[in-house]
Amino acid sequence: MAKKLSNFESLLFLPIKTIITNICCCRLNLFRKVSPLQYSDFSKQPSSLRNQDSVLMFNMEGTLLKSPSIFPYFMLVAFEAGSPLRALILLLLYPLICSVGGEMGLKIMVFVSFVGLKAGSFRVGRSVLPKFFLEDVGLQGFEMVMRHERKVGFTNLPRIMVEGFMKHYLGIEAVVGREMVVFHGYFSGLMEERRPFEPSLNSEIIGFDCFNNSLGQNFQSPFKALHLITEAEKRTWQTLPRSKYPKPLIFHDGRLAFRPTPLASLTMFIWLPFGFLLFIIRTLIGTFLPYQISIPLLHVTGMGGFFSKPQSFHPDKSKGTLYVCNHRTLFDPCYISMCTNKPLTAVTYSLSKFSEWIAPIKTTRITRNKDKDMMLIQELLTKTDLAICPEGTTCREPYLLRFSPMFAEVAKDIVPVAIDMKCTMFYGTTAGGWKGLDPVFQLMNPYVWCELKILEKVPHCMVCETGGQSRVEVANYVQSEIGKALNFECTSMTRKDKYLFLANNEGFVTS
């Protein structure tokens, strides 16, 4: 009886045994095509695998980004390229996205974020997303990728979202991602089907991916070597420090100053009505109350700061001082006026009418016609003190753009001012958006911190009128002094460079 039962069991489990054997053989044959190495052995990779003929194929989300969630990047697209209403809809759909997950969840985020956007004017992938991608890059994964000269990046996201980041900041040779379907110049919100990528047959292919991703599904040729990491290993990675960025992050656009995770995005939408009320209160305080009263009240509302002056600085009642400062926000001249406790006039160029209307100090527009602007500034200096930002545009990062030297020819008393601004939720500047909302977003921040340092007056031996120095030398001297005070790096980038990079125009403003 026992023998019969044994025969019966063998007949019953024989098909199962055969299936398991076939699966194991298939898996064995599959991995014979590649040479899987552990992540710990990746740093000991033979130099023969890093020659000029080898190409590294890596999955961006699996090997570069620390965070497993891609929701914040679609929230940025919805908010910056779309509207707050579109972003709110995406946030409300987040429980559904989590429940369906995978490919369907990705398609929902893509559809809500992209549908109806004009394809020709989509700039978020180049002007907004790279900052947040760089801040999410893991140091260990970045070092592994950058060891190879030739690199091809794969992504499950739409290619238009990541190509600017991977090519401009990482020097990736090619980017393989999902293509968006465009209908009459507008995104339909749908993605084309995946197309397998076939590299050159003369290249040795090295793969780098995460266990949970699917690099092999987009790839038809066998790997010379395949390196796999786990999510647990990624959680131990350090964030890529700014000093190791392949290219410096100088310019970026967008209104959101935080990473819009689901919880952070919910907090923002809850704050919006209170923030708009706070904007009205701060505007009324700054516009109609004297500095002795407005400064303490603004501090109570969350607008803090630190002002410092040299001992030799004694602002008197005489006119003609030109305050030259770097440009962080449109409120820079206002803070100078508060620090000196003197009324002054701000020389502006691309300030909106609404910003001029609510400004607590006088503003004067220049035309970027050198002769006319010099005559205007010289005339104003005989009547009042002036504040001017020779960079010509704002810069959010710790860099100084090239200082226009025009100011060095029109004033004898030049006082450099170093200013830095920190905000918690919104940026009060934009290159591609509506500038009329700049003061609104700036004053809607829950907390704003300003650090302002009035530096020593430029020696008369350095001024063009009395010292015989060239205007370029004076401008470079002022820029270097402000850079030292703030520990910012001085660059030769200009306003034109910024607007060509972020908004595809030269930054000209028409009346």
Side-chain angles (χ1 to χ4, degrees):
M1 181 68 180
K3 187 175 181 180
K4 291 182 179 179
L5 184 60
S6 176
N7 293 335
F8 175 76
E9 290 176 348
S10 63
L11 291 174
L12 177 63
F13 290 105
L14 180 61
I16 300 176
K17 180 180 179 182
T18 303
I19 293 173
I20 294 175
T21 303
N22 291 335
I23 291 175
C24 293
C25 290
C26 290
R27 291 181 62 87
L28 183 60
N29 291 332
L30 173 64
F31 282 99
R32 280 175 182 168
K33 295 181 181 179
V34 301
S35 301
L37 302 177
Q38 297 296 325
Y39 170 73
S40 58
D41 297 329
F42 196 72
S43 60
K44 302 176 182 179
Q45 185 186 81
S47 59
S48 60
L49 295 181
R50 296 200 298 267
N51 55 48
Q52 295 181 351
D53 294 330
S54 66
V55 178
L56 176 69
M57 305 287 184
F58 68 96
N59 183 285
M60 187 190 78
E61 298 94 285
T63 60
L64 275 182
L65 305 184
K66 292 178 56 181
S67 173
S69 174
I70 58 176
F71 177 84
Y73 306 115
F74 287 100
M75 176 60 70
L76 287 166
V77 173
F79 189 93
E80 305 293 359
S83 65
L85 178 60
R86 184 190 293 262
L88 179 60
I89 295 174
L90 180 63
L91 180 62
L92 295 176
L93 290 175
Y94 181 70
L96 175 63
I97 294 170
C98 292
S99 63
V100 298
E103 180 72 8
M104 182 56 65
L106 174 64
K107 289 181 177 179
I108 294 174
M109 290 189 290
V110 170
F111 182 82
V112 175
S113 302
F114 280 90
V115 63
L117 296 180
K118 196 171 182 178
S121 60
F122 184 83
R123 296 185 297 268
V124 172
R126 179 180 176 87
S127 62
V128 178
L129 292 177
K131 170 185 180 293
F132 295 91
F133 282 136
L134 283 170
E135 292 175 350
D136 194 28
V137 170
L139 175 61
Q140 288 81 352
F142 170 80
E143 290 177 343
M144 302 304 178
V145 170
M146 298 307 290
R147 283 178 179 170
H148 295 261
E149 293 185 10
R150 301 180 61 192
K151 302 174 282 292
V152 176
F154 285 80
T155 177
N156 294 320
L157 305 178
R159 181 181 57 84
I160 197 172
M161 289 178 63
V162 304
E163 188 171 37
F165 160 67
M166 296 181 74
K167 283 191 173 182
H168 181 77
Y169 288 97
L170 300 184
I172 305 302
E173 185 174 322
V175 178
V176 181
R178 309 287 290 273
E179 298 295 332
M180 297 296 301
V181 177
V182 179
F183 182 75
H184 291 290
Y186 293 87
F187 291 121
S188 65
L190 305 177
M191 294 184 293
E192 296 180 358
E193 295 297 324
R194 299 177 187 270
R195 298 178 181 177
F197 178 75
E198 298 186 24
S200 172
L201 296 178
N202 298 325
S203 303
E204 294 181 344
I205 310 303
I206 303 169
F208 186 26
D209 199 1
C210 183
F211 275 105
N212 296 336
N213 288 307
S214 53
L215 183 63
Q217 295 180 4
N218 299 315
F219 187 71
Q220 292 185 342
S221 301
F223 293 105
K224 177 75 173 179
L226 177 62
H227 309 274
L228 298 176
I229 59 173
T230 64
E231 291 292 343
E233 290 171 324
K234 287 174 61 177
R235 285 193 288 270
T236 64
W237 285 2
Q238 300 174 354
T239 302
L240 180 68
R242 178 182 288 271
S243 60
K244 291 194 175 184
Y245 285 1
K247 287 187 178 180
L249 177 67
I250 301 177
F251 302 131
H252 61 86
D253 204 7
R255 294 294 190 183
L256 298 184
F258 64 96
R259 180 179 176 84
T261 61
L263 181 58
S265 300
L266 177 62
T267 304
M268 177 195 68
F269 281 109
I270 294 175
W271 171 256
L272 280 179
F274 301 100
F276 187 74
L277 178 62
L278 190 60
F279 153 71
I280 296 175
I281 294 174
R282 287 170 171 172
T283 302
L284 295 176
I285 293 175
T287 304
F288 297 106
L289 296 180
Y291 290 148
Q292 292 81 357
I293 302 176
S294 63
I295 292 178
L297 289 179
L298 290 174
H299 186 78
V300 171
T301 65
M303 295 187 69
F306 173 77
F307 299 161
S308 66
K309 312 172 190 177
Q311 294 182 352
S312 59
F313 178 76
H314 298 289
D316 49 28
K317 296 181 179 180
S318 62
K319 313 297 182 184
T321 301
L322 182 64
Y323 295 95
V324 180
C325 70
N326 60 304
H327 204 6
R328 303 294 278 180
T329 69
L330 74 169
F331 291 98
D332 297 339
C334 301
Y335 280 103
I336 296 176
S337 180
M338 291 180 181
C339 183
T340 59
N341 198 24
K342 288 181 61 178
L344 51 80
T345 300
V347 179
T348 66
Y349 171 64
S350 59
L351 198 64
S352 67
K353 291 290 186 181
F354 177 68
S355 300
E356 290 181 343
W357 181 66
I358 66 172
I361 61 176
K362 294 181 180 180
T363 61
T364 298
R365 287 176 176 264
I366 58 176
T367 61
R368 295 202 180 270
N369 182 306
K370 179 184 174 183
D371 295 333
K372 292 183 179 180
D373 293 340
M374 287 181 61
M375 292 178 58
L376 174 63
I377 293 175
Q378 287 174 339
E379 180 182 353
L380 290 172
L381 285 173
T382 62
K383 303 176 182 179
T384 182
D385 294 340
L386 293 183
I388 190 171
C389 303
E391 289 177 291
T393 186
T394 57
C395 183
R396 300 172 176 178
E397 298 301 315
Y399 297 93
L400 296 180
L401 308 186
R402 182 179 68 85
F403 276 30
S404 173
M406 183 187 68
F407 73 90
E409 299 181 76
V410 297
K412 182 175 65 174
D413 296 327
I414 300 175
V415 178
V417 180
I419 186 169
D420 193 14
M421 192 81 68
K422 304 295 183 183
C423 54
T424 53
M425 189 172 288
F426 303 110
Y427 287 117
T429 60
T430 181
W434 185 40
K435 292 186 177 296
L437 291 177
D438 286 357
V440 180
F441 278 104
Q442 181 69 25
L443 295 179
M444 282 177 60
N445 277 294
Y447 187 72
V448 180
W449 177 262
C450 174
E451 181 178 351
L452 186 144
K453 301 177 181 178
I454 296 180
L455 308 181
E456 294 285 353
K457 183 184 295 186
V458 176
H460 282 184
C461 62
M462 288 289 299
V463 179
C464 296
E465 286 189 10
T466 57
Q469 300 291 328
S470 70
R471 62 194 189 107
V472 175
E473 290 175 329
V474 177
N476 290 341
Y477 170 79
V478 174
Q479 183 197 41
S480 64
E481 290 299 306
I482 295 177
K484 293 176 185 177
L486 295 173
N487 197 23
F488 284 7
E489 183 178 341
C490 298
T491 73
S492 60
M493 306 293 285
T494 64
R495 171 193 175 89
K496 181 179 178 181
D497 296 327
K498 171 185 171 179
Y499 278 86
L500 284 175
F501 182 79
L502 296 180
N504 200 26
N505 61 62
E506 296 187 6
F508 292 120
V509 176
T510 57
S511 300

